[in-house]
Amino acid sequence: MEFYLLALRSLTYAQRARDILGAAGIRAAVIKTPSGVSPKGCSHSLKVRSQEAARAAAHLRSQGINIEKIFAATGSGNYLEVPL
Amino acid sequence: MSGVVYFDNAATTLCKPKAVPEGVRRSILHCASPGRGGHAPAMAAAEVVYRCRKAAAELFKADDPEKIVFTSSATHGLNIAINSLVRPGTRVAISGYEHNAVTRPLHAIGADVRVAAGRLFNGEEVVENFRKELENGAKVVILNHVSNVFGFIQPAEEVARLCKKYGAAMILDASQSAGSVDIDAGGMGCAFIALPGHKGLYGPQGPGILICGAEPKPLIFGGTGSESKSQDMPPYLPDALEAGTANVPGIAGLLEGINYVNQTTPAAIMAHQRKITRHIGEKLQEIGGFRVYLARKSENQAGVLSVVKEGTDSEETAQILGEMGFAVRAGMHCAPLAHRTAGTLDTGTVRISPSSFNTLRQADMLIKALSRL
């Protein structure tokens, strides 16, 4: 399954962002950010479906949520940072 | 409650909504630690904690759940708040009804403390005395929203407006008001509001809440499950102040307590508690032989009543009541400043504090017992 990760600064922030997306009808799950793309150590991300990633990112930004980075899952546990 | 008629709810509410112990139990069985793993029990814990933040943000009208920080008590929260704003020599204006949870940290820091003491139940005088202290250069104001000894509801919103006008930071100690007085954290603009979970929010002993409106300084340092490669605490809330494993069972119980308060409403809880304390106070005045600290205007007093049986030591009165099956608290209530302000420092008082679950029948039983002393 293809998905995107929206990396956020904290668990609570990610939960808040998830709720904002949920209210807009966009499903997202809070997960721990994979170590390989989490340079500061432990953090949390929102996992969203690829086809909803751009809308999700735009909606969060419109609500004042700061997305640190966005990654596309490329399969086999690899992630590619993408501009969205 | 093994036959005890419990009127010591200003210390800790003993009778809880049924959902509170159930929430604690569920959490112990199913929740691990939030932020410490991506597995289901860790994420279940994270959801409980987040739901509690959201419920608290709703109750206290905080604009953002991230500003809701879980502490180990209101005292812990007050220590964070005071240590964030006060340095040796900082001029701090406090009310005449502060608890040792405020006065001891200020004493330890070496703050320049000024007491803006107003007479009991005289809110106008409190406001005027804070105005004077702010004109004289106070940089920080600390206000006990409801006196834990006398139930005096101090004019928090008026004092908050004064603080805005004079550019001072305000810390609100909402230990006795949370759950029975409406608190508009967003509107008041306090730097910090500290409160316990185990009193008027009906949670278990343990978790407290600090609502942060200013930049806090961490009091303890450690793991947060975020930015682990850095030796600095994360700069954002709530992580900056939540080092160490969260008290998830306590927070799970607190969530259910807050849900109860949100559903019942603080106004209804206040009305019930006030009805009971006024009933007891007025009856004791009729009986005579008691000094009863009852506000002339009921809106100036929450559901906390202090009395003194003339000629009897307060601790002794409470001890006898205890032997008769009534739980009340006597003495200084960890607030000698409040007793000094009200003129009860030498005698202390017997404090009667009902909760949402006490009844007028229990109040009549207590009145009868007191009348026999």
Side-chain angles (χ1 to χ4, degrees):
Chain A
M1 179 193 151
E2 291 186 357
F3 62 88
Y4 278 57
L5 291 182
L6 312 182
L8 297 160
R9 68 184 182 209
S10 75
L11 171 58
T12 309
Y13 201 57
Q15 289 171 307
R16 184 173 154 221
R18 176 203 56 196
D19 286 1
I20 289 170
L21 290 183
I26 302 170
R27 284 184 59 185
V30 176
I31 66 165
K32 285 203 81 179
T33 309
S35 304
V37 293
S38 185
K40 294 179 186 172
C42 308
S43 71
H44 286 77
S45 295
L46 287 185
K47 181 179 175 180
V48 296
R49 293 194 306 166
S50 300
Q51 55 268 42
E52 291 189 307
R55 189 162 77 95
H59 185 64
L60 288 177
R61 286 178 180 132
S62 76
Q63 298 297 306
I65 298 292
N66 180 37
I67 303 167
E68 298 206 327
K69 287 182 176 177
I70 300 176
F71 300 97
T74 59
S76 315
N78 294 317
Y79 296 89
L80 179 68
E81 186 174 349
V82 293
L84 262 187
Chain B
M1 241 196 295
S2 64
V4 173
V5 178
Y6 189 81
F7 276 109
D8 194 16
N9 295 284
T12 293
T13 47
L14 185 60
C15 184
K16 311 285 188 186
K18 281 181 185 168
V20 170
E22 286 166 8
V24 172
R25 181 178 177 276
R26 265 199 315 274
S27 153
I28 288 171
L29 293 175
H30 301 294
C31 292
S33 285
R36 306 310 201 262
H39 50 73
M43 297 313 282
E47 284 313 304
V48 166
V49 171
Y50 184 63
R51 281 169 54 211
C52 193
R53 280 191 220 284
K54 281 207 329 181
E58 180 191 339
L59 179 60
F60 299 116
K61 302 176 183 67
D63 52 14
D64 182 349
E66 288 181 284
K67 293 180 179 173
I68 303 291
V69 169
F70 291 112
T71 58
S72 63
S73 61
T75 298
H76 179 200
L78 286 165
N79 272 264
I80 293 171
I82 290 167
N83 277 281
S84 296
L85 297 174
V86 179
R87 300 286 171 273
T90 301
R91 186 170 289 190
V92 182
I94 66 174
S95 85
Y97 297 90
E98 298 307 311
H99 191 276
N100 278 345
V102 164
T103 57
R104 283 180 172 170
L106 291 173
H107 176 72
I109 289 171
D112 175 10
V113 178
R114 307 299 170 102
V115 180
R119 279 171 295 172
L120 193 55
F121 306 124
N122 189 330
E124 293 83 2
E125 203 168 271
V126 170
V127 172
E128 190 46 39
N129 287 334
F130 271 113
R131 184 194 310 280
K132 285 178 191 163
E133 293 301 339
L134 286 162
E135 279 172 359
N136 287 333
K139 301 296 179 204
V140 177
V141 159
I142 307 179
L143 184 74
N144 188 321
H145 198 182
V146 168
S147 164
N148 68 307
V149 183
F150 300 102
F152 176 22
I153 302 175
Q154 299 209 82
E157 292 184 358
E158 290 89 332
V159 175
R161 276 195 287 276
L162 276 181
C163 287
K164 279 182 194 167
K165 180 179 170 186
Y166 287 92
M170 177 167 161
I171 299 170
L172 185 69
D173 176 359
S175 293
Q176 291 301 332
S177 57
S180 61
V181 179
D182 276 325
I183 295 173
D184 181 355
M188 276 200 288
C190 292
F192 298 99
I193 301 175
L195 53 105
H198 65 104
K199 297 180 193 265
L201 298 183
Y202 294 91
Q205 294 93 324
I209 287 174
L210 182 67
I211 306 172
C212 297
E215 192 174 330
K217 187 178 159 197
L219 202 59
I220 59 169
F221 299 79
T224 57
S226 53
E227 300 202 12
S228 305
K229 290 180 182 171
S230 171
Q231 286 305 292
D232 293 319
M233 289 295 284
Y236 43 78
L237 292 170
D239 301 38
L241 299 180
E242 289 188 353
T245 297
N247 177 357
V248 178
I251 292 168
L254 177 56
L255 167 62
E256 299 299 342
I258 292 174
N259 285 343
Y260 166 79
V261 172
N262 267 325
Q263 286 157 15
T264 311
T265 76
I269 291 171
M270 171 65 84
H272 178 78
Q273 293 176 174
R274 192 178 267 155
K275 182 174 71 180
I276 290 175
T277 46
R278 292 204 75 81
H279 177 69
I280 295 170
E282 287 163 5
K283 287 289 179 190
L284 291 180
Q285 284 175 332
E286 280 173 33
I287 291 165
F290 294 91
R291 267 187 283 144
V292 182
Y293 294 88
L294 192 66
R296 231 176 308 161
K297 292 180 183 170
S298 65
E299 63 267 28
N300 289 338
Q301 188 171 19
V304 177
L305 178 70
S306 260
V307 301
V308 177
K309 169 76 177 165
E310 299 287 6
T312 310
D313 184 275
S314 293
E315 293 285 6
E316 195 181 334
T317 303
Q319 179 66 31
I320 296 167
L321 285 172
E323 288 163 7
M324 296 166 82
F326 297 92
V328 296
R329 181 164 173 197
M332 290 291 112
H333 312 93
C334 298
L337 177 59
H339 285 284
R340 186 175 297 127
T341 304
T344 53
L345 190 63
D346 292 337
T347 59
T349 60
V350 176
R351 183 183 67 186
I352 300 159
S353 53
S355 79
S356 199
F357 296 98
N358 284 106
T359 63
L360 279 174
R361 185 174 164 271
Q362 290 177 323
D364 285 332
M365 290 163 66
L366 178 64
I367 293 162
K368 197 172 172 185
L370 280 163
S371 70
R372 286 178 177 167
L373 293 179

PDB file of all heavy atoms in Angstrom, chain A residues 42-64:
ATOM      1  N   CYS A  42      13.339  10.123  18.498  1.00  0.00           N
ATOM      2  CA  CYS A  42      11.922   9.735  18.455  1.00  0.00           C
ATOM      3  C   CYS A  42      11.004  10.907  18.089  1.00  0.00           C
ATOM      4  O   CYS A  42      11.164  12.007  18.606  1.00  0.00           O
ATOM      5  CB  CYS A  42      11.493   9.214  19.812  1.00  0.00           C
ATOM      6  SG  CYS A  42      12.566   7.926  20.441  1.00  0.00           S
ATOM      7  N   SER A  43      10.065  10.627  17.193  1.00  0.00           N
ATOM      8  CA  SER A  43       9.020  11.605  16.889  1.00  0.00           C
ATOM      9  C   SER A  43       7.813  10.856  16.341  1.00  0.00           C
ATOM     10  O   SER A  43       7.853   9.619  16.205  1.00  0.00           O
ATOM     11  CB  SER A  43       9.505  12.645  15.882  1.00  0.00           C
ATOM     12  OG  SER A  43       9.659  12.076  14.600  1.00  0.00           O
ATOM     13  N   HIS A  44       6.777  11.575  16.032  1.00  0.00           N
ATOM     14  CA  HIS A  44       5.557  10.948  15.518  1.00  0.00           C
ATOM     15  C   HIS A  44       5.133  11.603  14.208  1.00  0.00           C
ATOM     16  O   HIS A  44       5.447  12.766  13.950  1.00  0.00           O
ATOM     17  CB  HIS A  44       4.422  11.023  16.543  1.00  0.00           C
ATOM     18  CG  HIS A  44       4.613  10.055  17.672  1.00  0.00           C
ATOM     19  ND1 HIS A  44       5.516  10.291  18.696  1.00  0.00           N
ATOM     20  CD2 HIS A  44       4.048   8.840  17.926  1.00  0.00           C
ATOM     21  CE1 HIS A  44       5.477   9.256  19.542  1.00  0.00           C
ATOM     22  NE2 HIS A  44       4.597   8.370  19.093  1.00  0.00           N
ATOM     23  N   SER A  45       4.459  10.813  13.414  1.00  0.00           N
ATOM     24  CA  SER A  45       4.003  11.271  12.099  1.00  0.00           C
ATOM     25  C   SER A  45       2.558  10.869  11.887  1.00  0.00           C
ATOM     26  O   SER A  45       2.028   9.999  12.591  1.00  0.00           O
ATOM     27  CB  SER A  45       4.846  10.625  10.986  1.00  0.00           C
ATOM     28  OG  SER A  45       6.177  11.055  11.052  1.00  0.00           O
ATOM     29  N   LEU A  46       1.962  11.495  10.890  1.00  0.00           N
ATOM     30  CA  LEU A  46       0.652  11.043  10.421  1.00  0.00           C
ATOM     31  C   LEU A  46       0.848  10.223   9.160  1.00  0.00           C
ATOM     32  O   LEU A  46       1.571  10.644   8.246  1.00  0.00           O
ATOM     33  CB  LEU A  46      -0.254  12.235  10.110  1.00  0.00           C
ATOM     34  CG  LEU A  46      -0.809  13.005  11.293  1.00  0.00           C
ATOM     35  CD1 LEU A  46      -1.778  14.081  10.804  1.00  0.00           C
ATOM     36  CD2 LEU A  46      -1.507  12.087  12.286  1.00  0.00           C
ATOM     37  N   LYS A  47       0.205   9.082   9.130  1.00  0.00           N
ATOM     38  CA  LYS A  47       0.248   8.228   7.941  1.00  0.00           C
ATOM     39  C   LYS A  47      -1.043   8.473   7.164  1.00  0.00           C
ATOM     40  O   LYS A  47      -2.139   8.287   7.715  1.00  0.00           O
ATOM     41  CB  LYS A  47       0.350   6.771   8.392  1.00  0.00           C
ATOM     42  CG  LYS A  47       0.417   5.760   7.291  1.00  0.00           C
ATOM     43  CD  LYS A  47       0.548   4.369   7.923  1.00  0.00           C
ATOM     44  CE  LYS A  47       0.510   3.286   6.868  1.00  0.00           C
ATOM     45  NZ  LYS A  47       0.630   1.932   7.473  1.00  0.00           N
ATOM     46  N   VAL A  48      -0.909   8.906   5.933  1.00  0.00           N
ATOM     47  CA  VAL A  48      -2.095   9.178   5.110  1.00  0.00           C
ATOM     48  C   VAL A  48      -1.958   8.472   3.763  1.00  0.00           C
ATOM     49  O   VAL A  48      -0.843   8.189   3.299  1.00  0.00           O
ATOM     50  CB  VAL A  48      -2.304  10.698   4.873  1.00  0.00           C
ATOM     51  CG1 VAL A  48      -2.593  11.415   6.169  1.00  0.00           C
ATOM     52  CG2 VAL A  48      -1.106  11.320   4.190  1.00  0.00           C
ATOM     53  N   ARG A  49      -3.089   8.220   3.146  1.00  0.00           N
ATOM     54  CA  ARG A  49      -3.061   7.561   1.829  1.00  0.00           C
ATOM     55  C   ARG A  49      -2.464   8.527   0.805  1.00  0.00           C
ATOM     56  O   ARG A  49      -2.662   9.745   0.873  1.00  0.00           O
ATOM     57  CB  ARG A  49      -4.480   7.170   1.411  1.00  0.00           C
ATOM     58  CG  ARG A  49      -5.054   6.065   2.306  1.00  0.00           C
ATOM     59  CD  ARG A  49      -6.285   5.444   1.694  1.00  0.00           C
ATOM     60  NE  ARG A  49      -7.296   6.441   1.367  1.00  0.00           N
ATOM     61  CZ  ARG A  49      -8.355   6.201   0.590  1.00  0.00           C
ATOM     62  NH1 ARG A  49      -8.524   5.008   0.052  1.00  0.00           N
ATOM     63  NH2 ARG A  49      -9.228   7.144   0.348  1.00  0.00           N
ATOM     64  N   SER A  50      -1.739   7.942  -0.144  1.00  0.00           N
ATOM     65  CA  SER A  50      -1.021   8.763  -1.120  1.00  0.00           C
ATOM     66  C   SER A  50      -1.947   9.756  -1.809  1.00  0.00           C
ATOM     67  O   SER A  50      -1.601  10.933  -1.972  1.00  0.00           O
ATOM     68  CB  SER A  50      -0.372   7.869  -2.178  1.00  0.00           C
ATOM     69  OG  SER A  50       0.532   7.004  -1.562  1.00  0.00           O
ATOM     70  N   GLN A  51      -3.126   9.263  -2.189  1.00  0.00           N
ATOM     71  CA  GLN A  51      -4.008  10.130  -2.969  1.00  0.00           C
ATOM     72  C   GLN A  51      -4.592  11.283  -2.151  1.00  0.00           C
ATOM     73  O   GLN A  51      -5.154  12.212  -2.715  1.00  0.00           O
ATOM     74  CB  GLN A  51      -5.124   9.325  -3.652  1.00  0.00           C
ATOM     75  CG  GLN A  51      -5.967   8.483  -2.749  1.00  0.00           C
ATOM     76  CD  GLN A  51      -5.428   7.065  -2.613  1.00  0.00           C
ATOM     77  OE1 GLN A  51      -4.224   6.851  -2.488  1.00  0.00           O
ATOM     78  NE2 GLN A  51      -6.325   6.086  -2.661  1.00  0.00           N
ATOM     79  N   GLU A  52      -4.470  11.192  -0.805  1.00  0.00           N
ATOM     80  CA  GLU A  52      -4.996  12.275   0.041  1.00  0.00           C
ATOM     81  C   GLU A  52      -3.887  13.130   0.636  1.00  0.00           C
ATOM     82  O   GLU A  52      -4.161  14.092   1.378  1.00  0.00           O
ATOM     83  CB  GLU A  52      -5.846  11.691   1.176  1.00  0.00           C
ATOM     84  CG  GLU A  52      -7.142  11.087   0.680  1.00  0.00           C
ATOM     85  CD  GLU A  52      -8.069  10.709   1.806  1.00  0.00           C
ATOM     86  OE1 GLU A  52      -7.629   9.982   2.719  1.00  0.00           O
ATOM     87  OE2 GLU A  52      -9.235  11.150   1.767  1.00  0.00           O
ATOM     88  N   ALA A  53      -2.639  12.792   0.345  1.00  0.00           N
ATOM     89  CA  ALA A  53      -1.514  13.453   1.027  1.00  0.00           C
ATOM     90  C   ALA A  53      -1.472  14.953   0.738  1.00  0.00           C
ATOM     91  O   ALA A  53      -1.287  15.764   1.647  1.00  0.00           O
ATOM     92  CB  ALA A  53      -0.202  12.794   0.619  1.00  0.00           C
ATOM     93  N   ALA A  54      -1.633  15.325  -0.508  1.00  0.00           N
ATOM     94  CA  ALA A  54      -1.524  16.752  -0.855  1.00  0.00           C
ATOM     95  C   ALA A  54      -2.643  17.547  -0.184  1.00  0.00           C
ATOM     96  O   ALA A  54      -2.411  18.629   0.372  1.00  0.00           O
ATOM     97  CB  ALA A  54      -1.578  16.927  -2.377  1.00  0.00           C
ATOM     98  N   ARG A  55      -3.859  16.984  -0.220  1.00  0.00           N
ATOM     99  CA  ARG A  55      -4.990  17.679   0.405  1.00  0.00           C
ATOM    100  C   ARG A  55      -4.788  17.762   1.922  1.00  0.00           C
ATOM    101  O   ARG A  55      -5.068  18.787   2.542  1.00  0.00           O
ATOM    102  CB  ARG A  55      -6.290  16.934   0.075  1.00  0.00           C
ATOM    103  CG  ARG A  55      -7.538  17.698   0.500  1.00  0.00           C
ATOM    104  CD  ARG A  55      -8.769  17.173  -0.222  1.00  0.00           C
ATOM    105  NE  ARG A  55      -9.268  15.916   0.332  1.00  0.00           N
ATOM    106  CZ  ARG A  55     -10.240  15.845   1.244  1.00  0.00           C
ATOM    107  NH1 ARG A  55     -10.794  16.933   1.714  1.00  0.00           N
ATOM    108  NH2 ARG A  55     -10.660  14.679   1.682  1.00  0.00           N
ATOM    109  N   ALA A  56      -4.280  16.669   2.481  1.00  0.00           N
ATOM    110  CA  ALA A  56      -4.048  16.656   3.935  1.00  0.00           C
ATOM    111  C   ALA A  56      -3.027  17.722   4.319  1.00  0.00           C
ATOM    112  O   ALA A  56      -3.233  18.493   5.272  1.00  0.00           O
ATOM    113  CB  ALA A  56      -3.561  15.276   4.375  1.00  0.00           C
ATOM    114  N   ALA A  57      -1.938  17.780   3.583  1.00  0.00           N
ATOM    115  CA  ALA A  57      -0.885  18.754   3.899  1.00  0.00           C
ATOM    116  C   ALA A  57      -1.419  20.177   3.766  1.00  0.00           C
ATOM    117  O   ALA A  57      -1.184  21.033   4.630  1.00  0.00           O
ATOM    118  CB  ALA A  57       0.314  18.542   2.986  1.00  0.00           C
ATOM    119  N   ALA A  58      -2.153  20.411   2.705  1.00  0.00           N
ATOM    120  CA  ALA A  58      -2.680  21.763   2.483  1.00  0.00           C
ATOM    121  C   ALA A  58      -3.664  22.141   3.588  1.00  0.00           C
ATOM    122  O   ALA A  58      -3.643  23.267   4.102  1.00  0.00           O
ATOM    123  CB  ALA A  58      -3.363  21.830   1.120  1.00  0.00           C
ATOM    124  N   HIS A  59      -4.502  21.179   3.970  1.00  0.00           N
ATOM    125  CA  HIS A  59      -5.488  21.492   5.006  1.00  0.00           C
ATOM    126  C   HIS A  59      -4.807  21.766   6.345  1.00  0.00           C
ATOM    127  O   HIS A  59      -5.167  22.716   7.045  1.00  0.00           O
ATOM    128  CB  HIS A  59      -6.489  20.341   5.137  1.00  0.00           C
ATOM    129  CG  HIS A  59      -7.597  20.659   6.097  1.00  0.00           C
ATOM    130  ND1 HIS A  59      -8.497  21.678   5.871  1.00  0.00           N
ATOM    131  CD2 HIS A  59      -7.918  20.118   7.309  1.00  0.00           C
ATOM    132  CE1 HIS A  59      -9.337  21.740   6.894  1.00  0.00           C
ATOM    133  NE2 HIS A  59      -9.007  20.809   7.780  1.00  0.00           N
ATOM    134  N   LEU A  60      -3.833  20.952   6.690  1.00  0.00           N
ATOM    135  CA  LEU A  60      -3.146  21.181   7.971  1.00  0.00           C
ATOM    136  C   LEU A  60      -2.466  22.551   7.979  1.00  0.00           C
ATOM    137  O   LEU A  60      -2.531  23.278   8.976  1.00  0.00           O
ATOM    138  CB  LEU A  60      -2.110  20.068   8.219  1.00  0.00           C
ATOM    139  CG  LEU A  60      -2.704  18.709   8.569  1.00  0.00           C
ATOM    140  CD1 LEU A  60      -1.587  17.672   8.728  1.00  0.00           C
ATOM    141  CD2 LEU A  60      -3.528  18.769   9.845  1.00  0.00           C
ATOM    142  N   ARG A  61      -1.816  22.884   6.885  1.00  0.00           N
ATOM    143  CA  ARG A  61      -1.147  24.202   6.838  1.00  0.00           C
ATOM    144  C   ARG A  61      -2.163  25.334   6.953  1.00  0.00           C
ATOM    145  O   ARG A  61      -1.899  26.342   7.616  1.00  0.00           O
ATOM    146  CB  ARG A  61      -0.330  24.315   5.544  1.00  0.00           C
ATOM    147  CG  ARG A  61       0.946  23.453   5.607  1.00  0.00           C
ATOM    148  CD  ARG A  61       1.726  23.512   4.314  1.00  0.00           C
ATOM    149  NE  ARG A  61       2.927  22.693   4.396  1.00  0.00           N
ATOM    150  CZ  ARG A  61       3.308  21.812   3.472  1.00  0.00           C
ATOM    151  NH1 ARG A  61       2.575  21.634   2.366  1.00  0.00           N
ATOM    152  NH2 ARG A  61       4.409  21.125   3.631  1.00  0.00           N
ATOM    153  N   SER A  62      -3.310  25.117   6.345  1.00  0.00           N
ATOM    154  CA  SER A  62      -4.334  26.178   6.428  1.00  0.00           C
ATOM    155  C   SER A  62      -4.850  26.344   7.856  1.00  0.00           C
ATOM    156  O   SER A  62      -5.386  27.381   8.210  1.00  0.00           O
ATOM    157  CB  SER A  62      -5.492  25.874   5.472  1.00  0.00           C
ATOM    158  OG  SER A  62      -6.312  24.848   6.032  1.00  0.00           O
ATOM    159  N   GLN A  63      -4.667  25.302   8.669  1.00  0.00           N
ATOM    160  CA  GLN A  63      -5.109  25.360  10.075  1.00  0.00           C
ATOM    161  C   GLN A  63      -3.959  25.721  11.014  1.00  0.00           C
ATOM    162  O   GLN A  63      -4.076  25.592  12.238  1.00  0.00           O
ATOM    163  CB  GLN A  63      -5.697  24.006  10.488  1.00  0.00           C
ATOM    164  CG  GLN A  63      -6.924  23.593   9.692  1.00  0.00           C
ATOM    165  CD  GLN A  63      -8.085  24.556   9.876  1.00  0.00           C
ATOM    166  OE1 GLN A  63      -8.486  24.834  10.996  1.00  0.00           O
ATOM    167  NE2 GLN A  63      -8.609  25.088   8.780  1.00  0.00           N
ATOM    168  N   GLY A  64      -2.846  26.118  10.438  1.00  0.00           N
ATOM    169  CA  GLY A  64      -1.716  26.562  11.256  1.00  0.00           C
ATOM    170  C   GLY A  64      -0.821  25.459  11.776  1.00  0.00           C
ATOM    171  O   GLY A  64       0.017  25.686  12.648  1.00  0.00           O
TER     172      GLY A  64
END
